[in-house]
Amino acid sequence: MKQTKICVIGLGYVGLPLARLFSTKYKTIGFDMNQTRVDSLMAGHDATLEVDDDLLYNAINNHGFICTSDIEKIKDCNFYVVAVPTPVDEHNNPDLTPLYGASTIVGKVISKGDVVCYESTVYPGVTENECIPVVEKVSGLKINVDFFAGYSPERINPGDKQHTVEHIKKVTSGSTPEIGKYVNDVYSSVITAGTHLAPSIKVAEAAKVIENSQRDINIAFVNELSKIFGRMGIDTLDVLEAAGTKWNFLPFRPGLVGGHCIGVDPYYLAQGAQAYGYNPEIILAGRRMNDGMGEYVANQTIKLMIKKGIQVQNSNVLILGFTFKENCSDVRNTKVIDIYKALKEYNLNITIYDPWADSEIVKREYGISVVNELPKQTFDACIAAVAHKKFANLDVETLLKPQHVVFDVKCTLDRNIVDGRL
């Protein structure tokens, strides 16, 4: 095998941290179609904040890492890593468009003996049945004859500065046993947490898609418990803390389930199952439960306002947080938008405050406004939707009118000021 030269296609939350890490051991090029993104990275700043500026500076200036949107500059690479998003459409059907596009790019540059390794989350069979045929068609080469493939699912946790890419064990696989070992060797050379070589690409694909589906189902269970205990007048968190004293109780909490992984991956698994004539009941039931939690939070808030005699129509409501999770800027598939949409049906004046969210991206993707500075007004209700650390010292009561409602989605506020929570 010739000296490994890596190209990572897609420089988002997954691709950039991985490319930066690879650059410490290999000549690495990052490829992205977004020229603005490329220019920002080459200027030494990652707008997603996943890679610190000093690490990026070191990669560029000391390890020769470069980012480009010029396909000509990646033609002499021989190990291509595809790290593009795998979203769902408005009907929750898997959208493989980004994968087809990335596979087309690979097909234009791949040469004999090269390897393409996919990281994007998919259902079993997508790499070999959907992506590789595109590479073959565009390149004119044949898999396992002229070029080879691997699959190593991403395990990035946006906003988590402890469990970074090198500190999370990596699953690897290859289109032949020999290529599987090679792919595993490449990843294990930079992943300090170690690797697990799966026996096939389909096994690795399946392992990834069930990781987040399992979490989704468990969170759906505690979300349903929250609804049940809410009717019983029992605090869900008190129940979970009591039950958690047993050694094998799983510590899941209720909440909004969005983002690019947990809120999406179960639909990929469901699609894969349906292709084989099986309709997955538990997986989709969990999705329905979690997809409805934003509307549930909104309706519970409205009920609390009515109980307190607060006029709902034209009242002012503050939502704290818009990103899909705490301490990151990622707004993809955020379920806070569901809270917003449900509240708008009551003709409320809604202000969303999130110091992490990019207001321009939110406006473009969702058509609504988010403010990055704390509003100078008082509100009739406040929904703490995201547990940003920047909210920890926020005196919520100073933002509220004397008669008000506070709903705490993440159970992070002082319960003495909270009227309702999951």
Side-chain angles (χ1 to χ4, degrees):
M1 187 67 68
K2 51 192 171 183
Q3 185 176 8
T4 301
K5 183 177 180 181
I6 296 174
C7 171
V8 176
I9 298 174
L11 298 177
Y13 288 86
V14 173
L16 180 65
L18 182 65
R20 196 284 310 171
L21 181 61
F22 273 140
S23 74
T24 63
K25 288 284 182 72
Y26 306 96
K27 186 172 182 180
T28 304
I29 299 176
F31 179 87
D32 200 287
M33 297 290 287
N34 186 336
Q35 186 62 50
T36 301
R37 171 71 169 161
V38 169
D39 291 342
S40 176
L41 293 175
M42 288 307 293
H45 179 64
D46 171 24
T48 70
L49 304 179
E50 288 303 303
V51 176
D52 293 337
D53 288 356
D54 57 342
L55 284 176
L56 186 56
Y57 177 89
N58 184 55
I60 293 171
N61 292 278
N62 297 327
H63 297 296
F65 174 57
I66 64 171
C67 303
T68 185
S69 60
D70 184 355
I71 195 170
E72 294 297 321
K73 292 183 178 179
I74 65 174
K75 284 188 173 181
D76 61 341
C77 294
N78 52 42
F79 191 96
Y80 295 93
V81 177
V82 174
V84 296
T86 43
V88 293
D89 62 20
E90 65 272 20
H91 303 297
N92 292 322
N93 295 313
D95 180 5
L96 300 179
T97 304
L99 272 179
Y100 292 143
S103 297
T104 299
I105 291 171
V106 172
K108 291 178 179 179
V109 297
I110 200 165
S111 301
K112 287 190 175 183
D114 292 355
V115 174
V116 54
C117 186
Y118 289 84
E119 289 230 352
S120 307
T121 302
V122 293
Y123 53 85
V126 167
T127 299
E128 293 160 297
N129 300 336
E130 300 287 343
C131 299
I132 295 306
V134 174
V135 178
E136 289 182 316
K137 181 179 180 180
V138 175
S139 68
L141 304 177
K142 296 298 294 182
I143 184 68
N144 293 336
V145 175
D146 302 309
F147 74 97
F148 304 91
Y151 183 79
S152 180
E154 60 89 0
R155 280 177 167 172
I156 294 292
N157 189 26
D160 188 339
K161 296 303 182 182
Q162 181 180 357
H163 301 98
T164 52
V165 59
E166 64 266 40
H167 297 129
I168 303 174
K169 194 164 188 174
K170 205 83 162 65
V171 174
T172 61
S173 63
S175 55
T176 69
E178 295 77 19
I179 291 302
K181 184 178 184 306
Y182 170 58
V183 170
N184 190 71
D185 287 345
V186 171
Y187 278 97
S188 64
S189 68
V190 295
I191 303 293
T192 57
T195 58
H196 173 85
L197 178 55
S200 69
I201 286 176
K202 285 187 176 69
V203 168
E205 290 171 324
K208 169 58 182 176
V209 80
I210 71 165
E211 290 174 19
N212 290 323
S213 297
Q214 182 187 66
R215 284 186 58 80
D216 193 44
I217 292 167
N218 277 296
I219 296 171
F221 173 62
V222 293
N223 274 336
E224 187 163 57
L225 292 180
S226 177
K227 290 184 176 182
I228 294 170
F229 295 142
R231 294 193 175 200
M232 294 179 173
I234 302 173
D235 188 282
T236 305
L237 188 58
D238 286 343
V239 175
L240 294 176
E241 288 178 347
T245 59
K246 188 180 180 187
W247 77 92
N248 59 352
F249 186 82
L250 302 178
F252 287 92
R253 294 284 188 90
L256 306 175
V257 186
H260 64 295
C261 287
I262 301 178
V264 171
D265 294 356
Y267 289 121
Y268 276 79
L269 182 55
Q271 171 109 348
Q274 288 164 347
Y276 284 86
Y278 183 82
N279 188 51
E281 297 180 12
I282 294 176
I283 294 168
L284 292 178
R287 272 289 77 225
R288 286 192 295 271
M289 172 60 66
N290 288 339
D291 278 345
M293 291 308 291
E295 183 177 9
Y296 176 76
V297 168
N299 290 339
Q300 291 299 108
T301 302
I302 295 298
K303 287 179 182 180
L304 289 168
M305 293 173 70
I306 293 172
K307 285 181 180 180
K308 282 197 169 185
I310 300 172
Q311 180 175 323
V312 173
Q313 191 169 5
N314 294 320
S315 61
N316 297 314
V317 177
L318 174 65
I319 298 177
L320 295 176
F322 188 76
T323 59
F324 92 89
K325 63 173 292 189
E326 64 275 7
N327 309 317
C328 81
S329 60
D330 196 346
V331 297
R332 290 176 295 172
N333 194 33
T334 175
K335 293 305 177 183
V336 181
I337 189 64
D338 295 342
I339 299 176
Y340 176 89
K341 288 179 178 178
L343 289 176
K344 287 299 288 184
E345 294 182 4
Y346 294 94
N347 295 321
L348 305 177
N349 303 310
I350 304 170
T351 299
I352 304 176
Y353 166 54
D354 194 321
W356 278 91
D358 186 315
S359 58
E360 292 184 6
I361 293 177
V362 173
K363 188 70 174 179
R364 183 175 69 246
E365 297 296 325
Y366 296 96
I368 65 173
S369 299
V370 169
V371 297
N372 300 126
E373 299 292 334
L374 198 60
K376 292 181 172 59
Q377 69 176 97
T378 55
F379 296 87
D380 300 287
C382 173
I383 298 175
V386 185
H388 291 316
K389 288 181 180 177
K390 293 180 180 180
F391 294 156
N393 297 319
L394 186 62
D395 190 349
V396 174
E397 289 186 295
T398 62
L399 304 173
L400 300 168
K401 296 177 181 178
Q403 187 77 335
H404 61 259
V405 162
V406 176
F407 194 95
D408 186 8
V409 174
K410 299 291 289 185
C411 299
T412 56
L413 300 178
D414 181 349
R415 71 168 62 192
N416 293 318
I417 69 167
V418 170
D419 299 282
R421 62 183 190 177
L422 291 182

PDB file of all heavy atoms in Angstrom, residues 1 20-21 23 57 82 92 94 113 118 130 148 176 200 213 215 247-248 253 257 356 370 414:
ATOM      1  N   MET A   1       0.853  -1.189   0.000  1.00  0.00           N
ATOM      2  CA  MET A   1       0.000   0.000   0.000  1.00  0.00           C
ATOM      3  C   MET A   1       0.888   1.238   0.000  1.00  0.00           C
ATOM      4  O   MET A   1       1.808   1.351   0.799  1.00  0.00           O
ATOM      5  CB  MET A   1      -0.923  -0.006   1.233  1.00  0.00           C
ATOM      6  CG  MET A   1      -1.968   1.103   1.232  1.00  0.00           C
ATOM      7  SD  MET A   1      -3.209   0.910  -0.064  1.00  0.00           S
ATOM      8  CE  MET A   1      -4.082  -0.542   0.516  1.00  0.00           C
ATOM      9  N   ARG A  20      -8.634  17.383  10.945  1.00  0.00           N
ATOM     10  CA  ARG A  20      -7.599  18.003  11.775  1.00  0.00           C
ATOM     11  C   ARG A  20      -6.784  16.945  12.488  1.00  0.00           C
ATOM     12  O   ARG A  20      -5.549  17.003  12.548  1.00  0.00           O
ATOM     13  CB  ARG A  20      -8.270  18.948  12.790  1.00  0.00           C
ATOM     14  CG  ARG A  20      -7.382  19.962  13.473  1.00  0.00           C
ATOM     15  CD  ARG A  20      -6.495  19.419  14.563  1.00  0.00           C
ATOM     16  NE  ARG A  20      -7.195  18.613  15.541  1.00  0.00           N
ATOM     17  CZ  ARG A  20      -6.595  17.902  16.474  1.00  0.00           C
ATOM     18  NH1 ARG A  20      -5.263  17.865  16.558  1.00  0.00           N
ATOM     19  NH2 ARG A  20      -7.293  17.161  17.326  1.00  0.00           N
ATOM     20  N   LEU A  21      -7.475  15.914  13.001  1.00  0.00           N
ATOM     21  CA  LEU A  21      -6.785  14.838  13.704  1.00  0.00           C
ATOM     22  C   LEU A  21      -5.904  14.033  12.751  1.00  0.00           C
ATOM     23  O   LEU A  21      -4.743  13.734  13.069  1.00  0.00           O
ATOM     24  CB  LEU A  21      -7.808  13.927  14.371  1.00  0.00           C
ATOM     25  CG  LEU A  21      -7.250  12.747  15.183  1.00  0.00           C
ATOM     26  CD1 LEU A  21      -6.391  13.245  16.338  1.00  0.00           C
ATOM     27  CD2 LEU A  21      -8.382  11.861  15.691  1.00  0.00           C
ATOM     28  N   SER A  23      -4.475  15.053  10.173  1.00  0.00           N
ATOM     29  CA  SER A  23      -3.334  15.862   9.725  1.00  0.00           C
ATOM     30  C   SER A  23      -2.133  15.763  10.647  1.00  0.00           C
ATOM     31  O   SER A  23      -1.019  16.110  10.260  1.00  0.00           O
ATOM     32  CB  SER A  23      -3.757  17.337   9.582  1.00  0.00           C
ATOM     33  OG  SER A  23      -3.911  17.968  10.844  1.00  0.00           O
ATOM     34  N   TYR A  57      -4.962  26.373  13.829  1.00  0.00           N
ATOM     35  CA  TYR A  57      -3.743  27.096  13.436  1.00  0.00           C
ATOM     36  C   TYR A  57      -2.553  26.144  13.370  1.00  0.00           C
ATOM     37  O   TYR A  57      -1.769  26.176  12.421  1.00  0.00           O
ATOM     38  CB  TYR A  57      -3.464  28.215  14.432  1.00  0.00           C
ATOM     39  CG  TYR A  57      -2.184  28.978  14.165  1.00  0.00           C
ATOM     40  CD1 TYR A  57      -2.177  30.095  13.334  1.00  0.00           C
ATOM     41  CD2 TYR A  57      -0.974  28.575  14.733  1.00  0.00           C
ATOM     42  CE1 TYR A  57      -0.992  30.788  13.074  1.00  0.00           C
ATOM     43  CE2 TYR A  57       0.212  29.245  14.478  1.00  0.00           C
ATOM     44  CZ  TYR A  57       0.187  30.359  13.655  1.00  0.00           C
ATOM     45  OH  TYR A  57       1.356  31.029  13.394  1.00  0.00           O
ATOM     46  N   VAL A  82     -15.685  10.238   3.429  1.00  0.00           N
ATOM     47  CA  VAL A  82     -16.912  10.998   3.169  1.00  0.00           C
ATOM     48  C   VAL A  82     -17.623  11.250   4.485  1.00  0.00           C
ATOM     49  O   VAL A  82     -18.022  10.316   5.179  1.00  0.00           O
ATOM     50  CB  VAL A  82     -17.838  10.240   2.196  1.00  0.00           C
ATOM     51  CG1 VAL A  82     -19.174  10.972   2.053  1.00  0.00           C
ATOM     52  CG2 VAL A  82     -17.159  10.077   0.844  1.00  0.00           C
ATOM     53  N   ASN A  92     -39.908  12.738   6.712  1.00  0.00           N
ATOM     54  CA  ASN A  92     -39.043  11.875   7.528  1.00  0.00           C
ATOM     55  C   ASN A  92     -38.481  10.684   6.760  1.00  0.00           C
ATOM     56  O   ASN A  92     -38.122   9.660   7.355  1.00  0.00           O
ATOM     57  CB  ASN A  92     -39.777  11.386   8.793  1.00  0.00           C
ATOM     58  CG  ASN A  92     -40.057  12.518   9.759  1.00  0.00           C
ATOM     59  OD1 ASN A  92     -39.231  13.412   9.933  1.00  0.00           O
ATOM     60  ND2 ASN A  92     -41.216  12.486  10.394  1.00  0.00           N
ATOM     61  N   PRO A  94     -35.362   9.172   4.593  1.00  0.00           N
ATOM     62  CA  PRO A  94     -33.932   9.446   4.450  1.00  0.00           C
ATOM     63  C   PRO A  94     -33.609  10.161   3.138  1.00  0.00           C
ATOM     64  O   PRO A  94     -34.106   9.784   2.072  1.00  0.00           O
ATOM     65  CB  PRO A  94     -33.302   8.047   4.492  1.00  0.00           C
ATOM     66  CG  PRO A  94     -34.265   7.243   5.317  1.00  0.00           C
ATOM     67  CD  PRO A  94     -35.623   7.755   4.945  1.00  0.00           C
ATOM     68  N   GLY A 113      -6.427   1.381  -6.845  1.00  0.00           N
ATOM     69  CA  GLY A 113      -5.758   1.113  -5.577  1.00  0.00           C
ATOM     70  C   GLY A 113      -6.219   2.002  -4.429  1.00  0.00           C
ATOM     71  O   GLY A 113      -5.859   1.755  -3.275  1.00  0.00           O
ATOM     72  N   TYR A 118     -16.690   5.714   4.139  1.00  0.00           N
ATOM     73  CA  TYR A 118     -17.844   6.550   4.487  1.00  0.00           C
ATOM     74  C   TYR A 118     -18.008   6.637   6.000  1.00  0.00           C
ATOM     75  O   TYR A 118     -17.810   5.657   6.716  1.00  0.00           O
ATOM     76  CB  TYR A 118     -19.108   5.986   3.846  1.00  0.00           C
ATOM     77  CG  TYR A 118     -19.142   6.179   2.345  1.00  0.00           C
ATOM     78  CD1 TYR A 118     -18.503   5.273   1.491  1.00  0.00           C
ATOM     79  CD2 TYR A 118     -19.778   7.276   1.778  1.00  0.00           C
ATOM     80  CE1 TYR A 118     -18.502   5.451   0.123  1.00  0.00           C
ATOM     81  CE2 TYR A 118     -19.793   7.464   0.402  1.00  0.00           C
ATOM     82  CZ  TYR A 118     -19.151   6.551  -0.426  1.00  0.00           C
ATOM     83  OH  TYR A 118     -19.152   6.745  -1.782  1.00  0.00           O
ATOM     84  N   GLU A 130     -25.835   1.805  -2.660  1.00  0.00           N
ATOM     85  CA  GLU A 130     -26.210   3.145  -3.136  1.00  0.00           C
ATOM     86  C   GLU A 130     -24.997   3.998  -3.492  1.00  0.00           C
ATOM     87  O   GLU A 130     -24.963   4.633  -4.550  1.00  0.00           O
ATOM     88  CB  GLU A 130     -27.049   3.867  -2.073  1.00  0.00           C
ATOM     89  CG  GLU A 130     -28.342   3.171  -1.713  1.00  0.00           C
ATOM     90  CD  GLU A 130     -29.397   3.280  -2.801  1.00  0.00           C
ATOM     91  OE1 GLU A 130     -29.257   4.151  -3.678  1.00  0.00           O
ATOM     92  OE2 GLU A 130     -30.362   2.487  -2.779  1.00  0.00           O
ATOM     93  N   PHE A 148     -11.281   0.274  -3.458  1.00  0.00           N
ATOM     94  CA  PHE A 148     -11.856  -0.425  -2.312  1.00  0.00           C
ATOM     95  C   PHE A 148     -12.658   0.552  -1.442  1.00  0.00           C
ATOM     96  O   PHE A 148     -12.558   1.764  -1.598  1.00  0.00           O
ATOM     97  CB  PHE A 148     -10.742  -1.085  -1.504  1.00  0.00           C
ATOM     98  CG  PHE A 148      -9.896  -2.002  -2.327  1.00  0.00           C
ATOM     99  CD1 PHE A 148      -8.745  -1.531  -2.979  1.00  0.00           C
ATOM    100  CD2 PHE A 148     -10.237  -3.331  -2.482  1.00  0.00           C
ATOM    101  CE1 PHE A 148      -7.967  -2.369  -3.749  1.00  0.00           C
ATOM    102  CE2 PHE A 148      -9.465  -4.190  -3.258  1.00  0.00           C
ATOM    103  CZ  PHE A 148      -8.331  -3.703  -3.894  1.00  0.00           C
ATOM    104  N   THR A 176     -13.115  -5.701   1.836  1.00  0.00           N
ATOM    105  CA  THR A 176     -12.438  -7.006   1.878  1.00  0.00           C
ATOM    106  C   THR A 176     -11.755  -7.106   3.240  1.00  0.00           C
ATOM    107  O   THR A 176     -11.529  -6.072   3.894  1.00  0.00           O
ATOM    108  CB  THR A 176     -11.374  -7.155   0.778  1.00  0.00           C
ATOM    109  OG1 THR A 176     -10.273  -6.279   1.076  1.00  0.00           O
ATOM    110  CG2 THR A 176     -11.941  -6.829  -0.594  1.00  0.00           C
ATOM    111  N   SER A 200     -17.953  -6.749   8.650  1.00  0.00           N
ATOM    112  CA  SER A 200     -18.426  -6.317   7.337  1.00  0.00           C
ATOM    113  C   SER A 200     -18.895  -4.868   7.417  1.00  0.00           C
ATOM    114  O   SER A 200     -19.132  -4.323   8.509  1.00  0.00           O
ATOM    115  CB  SER A 200     -19.583  -7.195   6.851  1.00  0.00           C
ATOM    116  OG  SER A 200     -20.747  -6.957   7.638  1.00  0.00           O
ATOM    117  N   SER A 213     -30.695   4.975  17.827  1.00  0.00           N
ATOM    118  CA  SER A 213     -32.073   4.489  17.930  1.00  0.00           C
ATOM    119  C   SER A 213     -32.351   3.988  19.341  1.00  0.00           C
ATOM    120  O   SER A 213     -33.445   4.183  19.887  1.00  0.00           O
ATOM    121  CB  SER A 213     -32.315   3.366  16.913  1.00  0.00           C
ATOM    122  OG  SER A 213     -32.169   3.843  15.595  1.00  0.00           O
ATOM    123  N   ARG A 215     -30.919   5.098  22.124  1.00  0.00           N
ATOM    124  CA  ARG A 215     -31.082   6.275  22.970  1.00  0.00           C
ATOM    125  C   ARG A 215     -32.450   6.919  22.740  1.00  0.00           C
ATOM    126  O   ARG A 215     -33.106   7.367  23.685  1.00  0.00           O
ATOM    127  CB  ARG A 215     -29.975   7.297  22.693  1.00  0.00           C
ATOM    128  CG  ARG A 215     -28.633   6.929  23.289  1.00  0.00           C
ATOM    129  CD  ARG A 215     -27.620   8.044  23.108  1.00  0.00           C
ATOM    130  NE  ARG A 215     -28.076   9.295  23.701  1.00  0.00           N
ATOM    131  CZ  ARG A 215     -28.009   9.588  24.990  1.00  0.00           C
ATOM    132  NH1 ARG A 215     -27.538   8.706  25.843  1.00  0.00           N
ATOM    133  NH2 ARG A 215     -28.433  10.760  25.437  1.00  0.00           N
ATOM    134  N   TRP A 247     -28.579  -0.300  40.914  1.00  0.00           N
ATOM    135  CA  TRP A 247     -27.329  -0.318  40.158  1.00  0.00           C
ATOM    136  C   TRP A 247     -27.511  -0.425  38.648  1.00  0.00           C
ATOM    137  O   TRP A 247     -26.683   0.067  37.902  1.00  0.00           O
ATOM    138  CB  TRP A 247     -26.442  -1.469  40.656  1.00  0.00           C
ATOM    139  CG  TRP A 247     -26.861  -2.821  40.147  1.00  0.00           C
ATOM    140  CD1 TRP A 247     -26.418  -3.445  39.018  1.00  0.00           C
ATOM    141  CD2 TRP A 247     -27.822  -3.700  40.717  1.00  0.00           C
ATOM    142  NE1 TRP A 247     -27.029  -4.663  38.855  1.00  0.00           N
ATOM    143  CE2 TRP A 247     -27.901  -4.850  39.891  1.00  0.00           C
ATOM    144  CE3 TRP A 247     -28.640  -3.647  41.862  1.00  0.00           C
ATOM    145  CZ2 TRP A 247     -28.764  -5.908  40.171  1.00  0.00           C
ATOM    146  CZ3 TRP A 247     -29.482  -4.707  42.133  1.00  0.00           C
ATOM    147  CH2 TRP A 247     -29.528  -5.810  41.300  1.00  0.00           C
ATOM    148  N   ASN A 248     -28.590  -1.059  38.188  1.00  0.00           N
ATOM    149  CA  ASN A 248     -28.717  -1.274  36.751  1.00  0.00           C
ATOM    150  C   ASN A 248     -29.819  -0.434  36.109  1.00  0.00           C
ATOM    151  O   ASN A 248     -30.235  -0.701  34.993  1.00  0.00           O
ATOM    152  CB  ASN A 248     -28.962  -2.759  36.446  1.00  0.00           C
ATOM    153  CG  ASN A 248     -30.221  -3.296  37.113  1.00  0.00           C
ATOM    154  OD1 ASN A 248     -30.851  -2.616  37.919  1.00  0.00           O
ATOM    155  ND2 ASN A 248     -30.579  -4.528  36.772  1.00  0.00           N
ATOM    156  N   ARG A 253     -33.106  10.988  30.900  1.00  0.00           N
ATOM    157  CA  ARG A 253     -33.956  12.101  31.322  1.00  0.00           C
ATOM    158  C   ARG A 253     -34.928  12.465  30.201  1.00  0.00           C
ATOM    159  O   ARG A 253     -34.601  12.316  29.025  1.00  0.00           O
ATOM    160  CB  ARG A 253     -33.097  13.332  31.644  1.00  0.00           C
ATOM    161  CG  ARG A 253     -32.179  13.158  32.859  1.00  0.00           C
ATOM    162  CD  ARG A 253     -32.954  13.264  34.159  1.00  0.00           C
ATOM    163  NE  ARG A 253     -32.066  13.293  35.307  1.00  0.00           N
ATOM    164  CZ  ARG A 253     -31.550  14.395  35.844  1.00  0.00           C
ATOM    165  NH1 ARG A 253     -31.808  15.569  35.291  1.00  0.00           N
ATOM    166  NH2 ARG A 253     -30.768  14.334  36.903  1.00  0.00           N
ATOM    167  N   VAL A 257     -35.785  15.825  21.647  1.00  0.00           N
ATOM    168  CA  VAL A 257     -34.821  14.977  20.956  1.00  0.00           C
ATOM    169  C   VAL A 257     -34.724  15.409  19.497  1.00  0.00           C
ATOM    170  O   VAL A 257     -35.549  15.039  18.671  1.00  0.00           O
ATOM    171  CB  VAL A 257     -35.207  13.485  21.034  1.00  0.00           C
ATOM    172  CG1 VAL A 257     -34.101  12.632  20.431  1.00  0.00           C
ATOM    173  CG2 VAL A 257     -35.464  13.078  22.475  1.00  0.00           C
ATOM    174  N   TRP A 356     -25.644  31.197  21.553  1.00  0.00           N
ATOM    175  CA  TRP A 356     -24.855  30.275  20.729  1.00  0.00           C
ATOM    176  C   TRP A 356     -25.318  30.259  19.271  1.00  0.00           C
ATOM    177  O   TRP A 356     -24.516  30.059  18.358  1.00  0.00           O
ATOM    178  CB  TRP A 356     -24.950  28.851  21.274  1.00  0.00           C
ATOM    179  CG  TRP A 356     -24.019  28.553  22.408  1.00  0.00           C
ATOM    180  CD1 TRP A 356     -24.280  28.698  23.743  1.00  0.00           C
ATOM    181  CD2 TRP A 356     -22.682  28.043  22.323  1.00  0.00           C
ATOM    182  NE1 TRP A 356     -23.192  28.308  24.498  1.00  0.00           N
ATOM    183  CE2 TRP A 356     -22.200  27.899  23.640  1.00  0.00           C
ATOM    184  CE3 TRP A 356     -21.855  27.685  21.272  1.00  0.00           C
ATOM    185  CZ2 TRP A 356     -20.924  27.417  23.932  1.00  0.00           C
ATOM    186  CZ3 TRP A 356     -20.578  27.202  21.540  1.00  0.00           C
ATOM    187  CH2 TRP A 356     -20.125  27.078  22.863  1.00  0.00           C
ATOM    188  N   VAL A 370     -33.837  35.031  16.017  1.00  0.00           N
ATOM    189  CA  VAL A 370     -33.247  34.683  17.309  1.00  0.00           C
ATOM    190  C   VAL A 370     -32.340  35.834  17.718  1.00  0.00           C
ATOM    191  O   VAL A 370     -31.606  36.371  16.878  1.00  0.00           O
ATOM    192  CB  VAL A 370     -32.434  33.376  17.220  1.00  0.00           C
ATOM    193  CG1 VAL A 370     -31.604  33.159  18.464  1.00  0.00           C
ATOM    194  CG2 VAL A 370     -33.360  32.186  17.010  1.00  0.00           C
ATOM    195  N   ASP A 414     -33.826  26.504  39.431  1.00  0.00           N
ATOM    196  CA  ASP A 414     -34.247  26.326  40.818  1.00  0.00           C
ATOM    197  C   ASP A 414     -35.739  25.973  40.812  1.00  0.00           C
ATOM    198  O   ASP A 414     -36.564  26.735  40.302  1.00  0.00           O
ATOM    199  CB  ASP A 414     -34.020  27.624  41.599  1.00  0.00           C
ATOM    200  CG  ASP A 414     -34.413  27.509  43.066  1.00  0.00           C
ATOM    201  OD1 ASP A 414     -35.055  26.509  43.456  1.00  0.00           O
ATOM    202  OD2 ASP A 414     -34.083  28.444  43.826  1.00  0.00           O
TER     203      ASP A 414
END
